[in-house]
């Protein structure tokens, strides 16, 4: 693995940084404060190609690798982790349709998603099925050329403000587990769909989170993505990349917080010296930077494994997500501590980064579930080489 970014990757990083500094960073505090979902900026992000980063060029995407994508997302997240995270969820849903839908459905939907004209939500979690997603109960029953869907989804990012739901429903028997699930592209305004209130959250205020209820929602059978019963495998494939994306959003937030802490250590004086003169704080900063670089390397290794079709990619994506989201949360918390009382005040962005990054330890599979994935794989026979 080459540790140097390529010329192209450096150019993507430059373009993403310029976009984030101009169109995201100046507004992020207001989006957080006023709970604004910045659809105009998402549209601009689409014009930059950021709404279909790893979607094939033939379908209007940028056709980038996961490593390229991570380089871009880190810059967006440094400006606003919450908005960057929505962009990544949209990218994941778009990739799933682009990779597994019929040709007609792909042609109809994906270019609009990749350009940012339409926004997508990913609907897996249910009131009774969170970590145990394979136990989901939303049902899709075939009726001639249609499916009729009934059930409910919770915690759906963007819901109520998106155009398309990529929704997992049970097409098999109630006890068919992970083998009886299929994904569907569902128009967000289809008859029978209703949305709950925008959940009041600790962070991620620049994107709505709502419950979605489905009552006799009829959609064409051709809106099914992949074969009947393949849905859980498709959902998990999407989440390998989704986990790297969320981990990358943590990297961006931690990088921004660390740089602010570094600058503050030069500016702030106590006991007649800048904070930077205190060795205890120098060591804190050194540990923060070390954790951040280790986390970034794990994310890039996971991306490399996914890009190269490595059979252990799932293991590495889970390890990277667990490590990076934990390590980066700690980096932001330490950056807040280094700001003293000012770190706790909303005028400084540290508390926003902390609130935004906290949820990365919970969603796209909690960090306990990441440990479960890693431990299960390691306890299999003959997989010592998986972590070499
Ligand atoms: C802001 C936000 C946005 C979200 N966006 C989306 C979205 O767009 N689409 C979507 O589908 N979902 C979304 N989610 C849902 C998210 O993925 C789930 O919340 C998450 O998977 C955990 O499920 P749960 O909340 O039901 O917790 P539970 O599964 O009930 O877990 C509760 C606790 O038990 C632990 N636990 C559970 N099982 C085990 C086990 N076997 N071993 C050890 N520990 C275990 C968990 O780690 C957790 O700590 C979002 C959630 C939030 C908060």
């Amino acid at each position: 693995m080459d540790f140097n970014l390529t010329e192209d990757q450096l150019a993507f990083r430059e373009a993403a940084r310029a976009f984030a500094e101009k169109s995201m960073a100046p507004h992020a505090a207001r989006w957080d404060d006023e709970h604004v979902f910045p659809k105009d900026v998402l549209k601009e992000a689409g014009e930059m190609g950021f709404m279909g980063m790893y979607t094939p060029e033939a379908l209007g995407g940028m056709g980038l690798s996961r490593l390229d994508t991570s380089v871009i997302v880190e810059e967006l997240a440094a400006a606003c982790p919450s908005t960057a995270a929505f962009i990544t969820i949209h990218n994941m849903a778009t990739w799933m349709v682009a990779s597994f839908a019929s040709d007609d459905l792909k042609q109809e939907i994906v270019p609009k998603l990749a350009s940012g004209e339409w926004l997508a939500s990913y609907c897996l979690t249910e009131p009774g099925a969170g970590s145990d997603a394979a136990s989901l109960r939303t049902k899709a029953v075939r009726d001639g050329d249609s499916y009729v869907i009934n059930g409910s989804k919770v915690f759906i990012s963007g819901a109520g403000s998106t155009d398309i739901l990529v929704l997992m429903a049970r097409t098999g028997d109630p006890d068919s587990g992970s083998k009886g699930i299929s994904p569907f592209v569902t128009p967000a305004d289809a008859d029978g769909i209703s949305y709950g209130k925008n959940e009041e959250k600790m962070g991620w205020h620049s994107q709505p989170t709502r419950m979605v209820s489905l009552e006799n929602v009829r959609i064409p059978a051709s809106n099914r993505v992949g074969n009947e019963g393949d849905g859980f495998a498709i959902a998990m494939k999407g989440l390998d990349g989704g986990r790297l994306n969320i981990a990358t959003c943590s990297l961006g937030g931690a990088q921004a917080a660390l740089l602010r802490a570094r600058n503050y250590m030069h500016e702030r004086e106590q006991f007649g010296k800048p904070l930077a003169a205190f060795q205890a704080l120098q060591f804190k900063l050194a540990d923060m930077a070390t954790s951040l670089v280790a986390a970034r390397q794990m994310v890039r290794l996971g991306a490399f494994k996914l890009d190269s079709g490595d059979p252990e990619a799932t293991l590495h994506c889970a390890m990277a997500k667990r490590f990076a989201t934990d390590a980066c949360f700690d980096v932001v918390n330490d950056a807040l501590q280094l700001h003293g009382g000012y770190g706790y005040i909303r005028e400084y962005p540290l508390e926003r980064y902390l609130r935004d990054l906290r949820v990365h330890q919970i969603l796209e599979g909690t960090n306990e579930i990441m440990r479960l994935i890693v431990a299960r794989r390691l306890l299999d026979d003959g997989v010592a080489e998986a972590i070499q």
Side-chain angles (χ1 to χ4, degrees):
M1 186 185 170
D2 185 351
F3 287 101
N4 294 313
L5 296 182
T6 63
E7 289 287 312
D8 279 352
Q9 286 164 343
L10 291 171
F12 295 143
R13 184 164 76 178
E14 234 13 77
R17 184 173 296 172
F19 172 80
E21 284 178 356
K22 177 176 148 286
S23 298
M24 295 172 73
H27 312 293
R30 184 177 58 81
W31 296 340
D32 173 65
D33 202 33
E34 298 174 10
H35 296 217
V36 174
F37 186 46
K39 281 182 127 176
D40 49 340
V41 172
L42 297 176
K43 213 158 180 131
E44 272 183 58
E47 285 157 18
M48 296 288 295
F50 300 157
M51 301 305 274
M53 287 179 276
Y54 51 100
T55 295
E57 285 175 283
L59 291 167
M62 282 178 97
L64 300 182
S65 70
R66 305 310 174 96
L67 193 50
D68 301 336
T69 300
S70 181
V71 168
I72 292 173
V73 170
E74 187 175 335
E75 294 301 324
L76 306 183
C80 180
S82 163
T83 306
F86 177 78
I87 289 174
T88 71
I89 293 171
H90 171 93
N91 268 267
M92 175 178 72
T94 302
W95 174 84
M96 285 168 64
V97 181
S99 303
F100 301 104
S102 68
D103 283 344
D104 284 351
L105 190 59
K106 278 181 202 176
Q107 297 295 345
E108 184 193 334
I109 305 280
V110 176
K112 289 194 174 78
L113 292 174
S115 69
E117 184 186 341
W118 283 358
L119 300 177
S121 288
Y122 173 73
C123 307
L124 177 65
T125 308
E126 298 187 356
S131 297
D132 184 12
S135 69
L136 65 82
R137 288 177 21 201
T138 293
K139 229 176 134 44
V141 177
R142 183 84 189 230
D143 180 26
D145 286 344
S146 311
Y147 281 92
V148 179
I149 307 179
N150 281 283
S152 53
K153 299 284 174 183
V154 273
F155 297 137
I156 302 306
S157 300
S161 299
T162 50
D163 305 278
I164 291 291
L165 308 177
V166 177
L167 181 134
M168 300 294 154
R170 186 162 300 285
T171 43
D173 299 333
D175 59 358
S176 54
S178 63
K179 304 280 180 234
I181 295 170
S182 306
F184 294 91
V185 169
T186 311
D189 60 354
D191 283 348
I193 297 188
S194 57
Y195 295 96
K197 67 174 169 50
N198 186 2
E199 302 290 354
E200 287 182 27
K201 309 186 292 285
M202 175 180 176
W204 271 31
H205 289 168
S206 76
Q207 49 167 313
T209 307
R210 288 194 167 86
M211 183 163 181
V212 182
S213 303
L214 302 109
E215 202 181 334
N216 293 325
V217 176
R218 185 175 286 273
I219 57 164
S222 55
N223 279 26
R224 194 189 67 229
V225 175
N227 295 321
E228 256 202 19
D230 285 353
F232 195 72
I234 292 174
M236 293 303 119
K237 282 202 178 105
L239 279 175
D240 280 343
R243 287 168 184 159
L244 292 179
N245 291 340
I246 284 299
T248 302
C249 289
S250 289
L251 295 177
Q255 170 82 17
L258 181 122
L259 291 182
R260 282 181 180 271
R262 175 223 175 252
N263 293 343
Y264 192 75
M265 282 173 67
H266 283 307
E267 287 160 18
R268 175 74 173 168
E269 291 194 1
Q270 286 295 285
F271 300 97
K273 294 178 193 167
L275 297 182
F278 298 116
Q279 197 177 48
L281 304 188
Q282 294 172 5
F283 281 16
K284 168 86 84 189
L285 192 70
D287 286 348
M288 289 160 66
T290 306
S291 291
L292 174 58
V293 171
R296 185 180 288 119
Q297 291 314 116
M298 286 198 73
V299 171
R300 291 190 179 168
L301 178 64
F304 171 78
K305 298 266 179 196
L306 210 50
D307 286 331
S308 56
D310 189 299
E312 301 299 347
T314 296
L315 171 76
H316 284 274
C317 291
M319 288 198 291
K321 193 270 186 186
R322 205 289 295 158
F323 184 82
T325 57
D326 283 350
C328 291
F329 180 80
D330 291 344
V331 168
V332 173
N333 198 26
D334 286 342
L336 190 152
Q337 184 73 17
L338 281 169
H339 279 72
Y342 297 98
Y344 198 67
I345 301 297
R346 296 196 75 168
E347 198 179 323
Y348 289 75
L350 281 313
E351 61 85 37
R352 170 166 57 85
Y353 283 110
L354 188 89
R355 288 186 285 107
D356 282 347
L357 260 61
R358 181 62 183 86
V359 78
H360 302 176
Q361 295 168 300
I362 295 172
L363 47 67
E364 311 247 338
T366 66
N367 284 2
E368 288 75 26
I369 295 305
M370 297 306 100
R371 291 184 176 92
L372 209 72
I373 291 169
V374 174
R376 275 187 189 149
R377 186 71 191 113
L378 291 180
L379 291 169
D380 279 356
D381 286 336
V383 291
E385 62 278 12
I387 53 166
Q388 281 179 335

